[in-house]
């Protein structure tokens, strides 16, 4: 099957289904709700949708703990609703990408239930170790979410490995039968017509032989022993050869801490096993490795991250571009400014949308949603947030502890989508499963629809402009004035067409000049976020897209 690499011309919208739109009034977002909003997504200029998991799941990690890979959860509308959404999307020229979560399953998956009872062929589907005794664990690894990475199972009388929550046991990918299961899952969805997969923490699937202790990492202990493990390339190549190569589909892999150099070993176009990677460096301009280790925001770090990926992948592999998803707090509250919310939301859009790669927009990002501020820690739902709250900042005041969660929690960006100013932001007619951000009366889709200067209409314009420019798809990226700590400036240059993007990250007005070879007087100012732009001056959080053609 010839691979057309259609994903290079797409802009994806990420749906986190629980909070997107409730279609049947039971308080939980669902596929009926998505179906109603297909035109909204399309009008935004997005022609692909990535669904966070919609499979049956006990919900210990909001769907990332799957108990049946070949079905759609009844609360989301089941298979029937999914088929309608798939067809509705395809009719509109949109692609559908599913989340493939195969590093781990739910502990309620039939495989795990049988494995703990040593019923074949499931006995070795997971990573079991005998009890070393004396209160010791099989090794010193941490889980990413809930303390140590091992939990004792009374039924089997052994420990199982879980790199995430206790209810997310890791699969034993070294077992060829498990890899056959993965291939069955891939084929099942591809045969149904889905167009690709976002592969959850896929760089973790091969653990170092013997599961040795880790003496390198002070936190997330164990990561060097399972991230980019010994057989990861081999297993991914097997999935590609046996399944993916037979469809014109695409894959995007979530890859914590990956560098461009490592990424190229996975996604080089001539010999890669995958098509794109979700890197985390662009999410670490105000933290170290994790949102839970906050630092001040450093624009230079952000620019270095984006530029590095642009330069290093050029001509060899394809970037994915994002500034928000369901695992991070809202970008306006992080890299932008809630005080200059509209300006900074628009500026951040321009900052990443005019680079080379396939952009992703996370629900609510397009209206400039901000971090949710709960009144009490009990209101948090997310397993990672709850654990972190209970175990960190213990000496700080209650306000400081809540503030730390506001800054880091995934729930900051998982509140209900703000559709209008009616009760519960128009998300549901029933009792919602989760909270709505108190600012929904000001910030919502309906209010922004009719306002030509809204963040929403700005996103529409920006995406339309991006799609009309060949230099974004084919041109050469170059960063200018990389030492500036206030302005991010880059150009995309093709023979007959070039752009210069100028973004201010300052709350104060600034002066700037164009780099050599860019004569602003001969350019068209194709997009900006101020009604009255002034030459060589930037208002707070102003952005400008200059175009020559
Ligand atoms: C990925 C997902 C995240 C999930 C975790 C475990 O990081 O994006 O939401 O909790 O994997 O599956
Ligand atoms: Ca519902």
């Amino acid at each position: 099957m010839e691979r057309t690499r259609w994903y290079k011309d797409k802009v994806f919208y990420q749906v986190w289904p629980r909070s997107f739109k409730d279609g049947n009034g039971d308080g939980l977002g669902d596929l009926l709700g998505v179906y109603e909003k297909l035109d909204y997504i399309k009008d935004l200029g997005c022609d692909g949708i990535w669904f966070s998991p919609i499979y049956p799941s006990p919900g210990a990690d909001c769907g990332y703990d799957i108990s049946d890979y070949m079905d759609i959860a009844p609360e989301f509308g089941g298979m029937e609703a999914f088929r309608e959404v798939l067809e509705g999307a395809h009719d509109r020229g949109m692609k559908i990408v599913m989340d493939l979560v195969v590093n781990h399953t739910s502990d309620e998956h039939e495989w795990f239930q049988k494995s703990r009872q040593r019923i074949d062929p499931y006995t070795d589907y997971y990573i079991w170790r005998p009890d070393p005794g004396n209160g010791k664990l099989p090794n010193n690894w941490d889980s990413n979410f809930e303390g140590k990475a091992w939990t004792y199972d009374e039924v089997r009388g052994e420990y199982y490995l879980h790199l995430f929550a206790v209810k997310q046991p890791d699969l034993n990918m070294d077992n060829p039968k498990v890899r056959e299961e993965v291939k069955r899952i891939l084929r099942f969805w591809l045969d149904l017509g889905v167009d690709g997969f976002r592969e959850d923490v896929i760089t973790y699937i091969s653990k170092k032989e013997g599961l040795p202790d880790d003496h390198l990492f002070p936190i997330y202990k164990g990561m060097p022993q399972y991230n980019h493990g010994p057989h990861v390339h081999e297993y991914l190549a097997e999935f590609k050869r046996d399944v993916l190569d037979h469809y014109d589909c695409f894959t995007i892999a979530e890859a914590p801490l990956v560098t461009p150099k490592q990424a190229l070993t996975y996604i080089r176009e001539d010999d890669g096993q995958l098509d794109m990677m979700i890197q985390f460096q662009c999410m670490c301009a105000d933290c170290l490795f994790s949102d839970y280790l906050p630092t001040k925001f450093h624009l230079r770090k952000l620019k270095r991250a984006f530029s590095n990926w642009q330069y290093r992948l050029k001509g060899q592999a394809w970037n994915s571009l994002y500034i928000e998803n369901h695992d991070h707090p809202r970008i306006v509250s992080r890299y932008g400014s809630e005080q200059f919310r509209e300006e900074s939301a628009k500026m951040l859009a321009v900052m990443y949308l005019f680079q080379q790669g396939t952009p992703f927009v996370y629900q609510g990002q397009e209206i400039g949603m901000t971090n949710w501020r709960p009144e009490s820690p009990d209101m948090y739902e997310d397993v990672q947030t709850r654990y972190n709250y209970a175990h960190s900042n213990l000496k700080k005041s209650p306000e400081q502890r809540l503030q730390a969660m506001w800054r880091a929690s995934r729930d900051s960006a998982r509140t209900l989508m703000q559709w209008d100013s009616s009760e519960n932001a128009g998300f549901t007619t029933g009792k919602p499963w989760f909270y709505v951000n108190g600012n929904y009366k000001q910030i919502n889709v309906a209010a922004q629809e009719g306002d030509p200067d809204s963040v929403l209409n700005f996103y529409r314009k920006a995406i339309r402009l991006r799609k009309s420019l060949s230099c974004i798809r084919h041109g050469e990226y170059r960063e200018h004035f990389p030492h500036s700590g206030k302005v991010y400036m880059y150009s995309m240059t093709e023979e007959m067409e070039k752009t210069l993007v100028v973004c201010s990250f300052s709350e104060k007005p600034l002066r700037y000049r164009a780099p050599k070879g860019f004569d602003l007087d001969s350019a068209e100012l194709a997009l900006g976020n101020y009604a009255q732009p002034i030459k060589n001056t930037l208002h707070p959080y102003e952005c400008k897209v200059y175009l020559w053609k």
Side-chain angles (χ1 to χ4, degrees):
M1 162 76 65
E2 206 220 327
R3 314 213 46 224
T4 61
R5 302 195 186 276
W6 50 261
Y7 54 85
K8 291 189 173 182
D9 295 310
K10 295 282 168 190
V11 176
F12 277 92
Y13 190 83
Q14 183 193 350
V15 170
W16 198 73
R18 273 153 212 264
S19 289
F20 183 64
K21 174 74 185 155
D22 177 17
N24 68 350
D26 69 353
L28 190 78
D30 52 42
L31 290 169
L32 197 63
V34 173
Y35 191 85
E36 279 173 37
K37 297 298 179 187
L38 283 177
D39 286 328
Y40 168 80
I41 297 171
K42 176 88 202 205
D43 285 348
L44 182 58
C46 292
D47 38 18
I49 296 177
W50 151 30
F51 281 116
S52 275
I54 44 182
Y55 316 99
S57 157
D61 184 19
C62 288
Y64 283 87
D65 49 321
I66 295 168
S67 53
D68 183 352
Y69 288 91
M70 304 214 220
D71 203 354
I72 299 289
E75 63 270 29
F76 291 135
M79 263 311 183
E80 208 179 311
F82 181 71
R83 282 208 184 84
E84 303 235 328
V85 166
L86 189 62
E87 211 184 290
H90 285 166
D91 285 348
R92 290 167 175 78
M94 301 162 85
K95 302 282 189 182
I96 295 285
V97 166
M98 301 293 271
D99 219 309
L100 179 80
V101 188
V102 291
N103 175 68
H104 44 266
T105 69
S106 161
D107 64 343
E108 295 179 36
H109 195 291
E110 186 195 345
W111 302 339
F112 189 78
Q113 291 303 320
K114 294 203 163 140
S115 190
R116 74 201 311 194
Q117 299 174 61
R118 298 177 202 259
I119 298 176
D120 276 333
Y122 303 104
T123 309
D124 297 321
Y125 265 40
Y126 295 85
I127 302 176
W128 294 100
R129 288 295 179 272
D131 182 357
N134 302 327
K136 288 213 183 89
L137 297 174
N139 69 20
N140 73 350
W141 298 2
D142 293 325
S143 81
N144 284 254
F145 286 171
E146 287 189 289
K148 287 289 162 194
W150 295 94
T151 292
Y152 186 75
D153 181 57
E154 295 286 345
V155 177
R156 174 139 167 170
E158 287 192 310
Y159 280 93
Y160 65 89
L161 179 75
H162 55 89
L163 295 181
F164 291 90
V166 174
K167 281 181 72 62
Q168 290 170 302
D170 277 52
L171 280 165
N172 174 17
M173 206 57 79
D174 294 332
N175 181 345
K177 290 188 196 123
V178 172
R179 300 202 297 279
E180 285 309 317
E181 300 279 9
V182 173
K183 292 185 242 174
R184 260 198 286 278
I185 297 166
L186 292 170
R187 272 188 215 107
F188 175 83
W189 293 104
L190 290 166
D191 287 340
L192 210 83
V194 315
D195 304 290
F197 300 93
R198 176 267 187 191
E199 304 191 353
D200 191 69
V201 289
I202 202 72
T203 55
Y204 289 6
I205 60 172
S206 165
K207 283 78 173 163
K208 208 172 266 175
E209 202 173 326
L211 312 180
D213 277 348
D214 170 22
H215 301 293
L216 212 68
F217 267 39
I219 45 161
Y220 298 113
K221 234 181 223 325
M223 197 181 267
Q225 320 290 38
Y226 59 75
N227 200 7
H228 314 297
H231 301 289
V232 65
H233 293 290
E234 178 190 326
Y235 298 160
L236 293 173
E238 180 181 328
F239 300 153
K240 180 165 186 281
R241 183 195 64 219
D242 291 355
V243 185
L244 301 167
D245 272 348
H246 305 277
Y247 301 81
D248 188 16
C249 64
F250 104 111
T251 50
I252 173 162
E254 186 196 24
L257 303 190
V258 74
T259 63
K261 187 169 170 207
Q262 286 164 327
L264 284 172
T265 67
Y266 293 90
I267 59 170
R268 219 193 322 262
E269 279 177 19
D270 47 10
D271 62 358
Q273 311 106 60
L274 301 161
D275 296 313
M276 288 197 273
M277 290 210 126
I278 304 175
Q279 46 96 357
F280 280 59
Q281 294 181 331
C282 63
M283 287 286 103
C284 292
D286 61 355
C287 62
L288 298 168
F289 313 120
S290 147
D291 296 332
Y292 284 93
L293 299 170
T295 64
K296 260 183 61 189
F297 171 68
H298 292 287
L299 177 61
R300 266 183 295 240
K301 211 173 158 197
L302 183 70
K303 298 198 293 184
R304 220 178 304 132
F306 274 111
S307 293
N308 240 332
W309 283 87
Q310 290 291 311
Y311 290 132
R312 300 292 297 273
L313 262 49
K314 179 68 191 167
Q316 301 190 68
W318 194 248
N319 269 293
S320 75
L321 305 166
Y322 77 102
I323 50 175
E324 275 194 26
N325 66 33
H326 66 298
D327 286 333
H328 303 282
R330 293 286 180 185
I331 202 68
V332 167
S333 304
R334 296 181 65 170
Y335 297 175
S337 155
E338 293 192 1
Q339 191 195 338
F340 293 96
R341 187 185 65 82
E342 293 194 33
E343 293 84 350
S344 66
K346 294 172 185 172
M347 180 280 288
L348 289 162
V350 159
M351 189 265 303
Y352 87 111
L353 281 175
F354 290 87
Q355 303 199 14
Q356 196 162 66
T358 299
F360 287 74
V361 179
Y362 174 60
Q363 66 190 43
Q365 178 189 330
E366 76 278 20
I367 56 170
M369 279 175 66
T370 59
N371 279 357
W372 170 60
R373 211 178 271 281
E375 289 107 52
S376 121
D378 311 332
M379 293 163 77
Y380 281 117
E381 171 74 26
D382 168 35
V383 54
Q384 184 191 32
T385 312
R386 284 168 171 268
Y387 186 88
N388 272 288
Y389 181 80
H391 293 87
S392 57
N393 304 309
L394 294 179
K395 298 214 172 89
K396 304 233 166 102
S397 71
E399 295 75 39
Q400 286 170 321
R401 295 185 66 202
L402 255 188
Q403 176 66 18
M405 291 305 114
W406 171 87
R407 168 63 189 74
S409 171
R410 312 193 287 185
D411 279 346
S412 294
R414 291 180 173 186
T415 49
L416 313 178
M417 177 69 187
Q418 295 167 201
W419 293 106
D420 59 39
S421 60
S422 69
E423 199 180 352
N424 298 315
F427 162 79
T428 182
T429 52
K431 187 176 168 332
W433 79 281
F434 198 44
Y435 299 94
V436 63
N437 192 317
N439 61 19
Y440 75 90
K441 293 215 158 124
Q442 295 80 50
I443 305 173
N444 63 66
V445 172
Q448 296 193 17
E449 282 288 357
D451 172 6
D453 293 327
S454 64
V455 177
L456 176 61
N457 279 315
F458 188 87
Y459 259 91
R460 288 173 175 153
K461 266 185 265 174
I463 292 173
R464 214 180 309 127
L465 177 61
R466 174 197 158 91
K467 288 195 162 177
S468 73
L469 297 174
S470 154
C471 65
I472 308 295
R473 166 82 151 78
H474 301 285
E476 193 81 31
Y477 172 92
R478 178 138 174 242
E479 187 189 335
H480 304 280
F481 307 112
H483 297 297
S484 167
K486 300 268 190 242
V487 176
Y488 184 5
M489 205 187 290
Y490 66 86
S491 53
M492 298 293 306
T493 307
E494 214 189 352
E495 260 162 66
M496 302 299 287
E497 186 184 271
K498 70 180 178 187
T499 54
L500 179 71
V501 168
V502 185
C503 292
S504 165
F505 282 74
S506 170
E507 303 199 343
K508 302 216 175 75
L510 292 174
R511 303 277 302 159
Y512 72 100
R513 62 191 162 84
K516 275 205 194 76
F518 291 82
D519 169 25
L520 298 187
D521 292 327
S522 65
E524 172 197 348
L525 184 53
L527 188 66
N529 59 347
Y530 275 81
Q532 258 124 29
I534 303 173
K535 199 180 157 195
N536 294 123
T537 295
L538 288 168
H539 295 103
Y541 293 99
E542 183 163 9
C543 60
K544 297 177 181 180
V545 182
Y546 291 103
L547 174 62
W548 291 262
K549 56 179 180 187

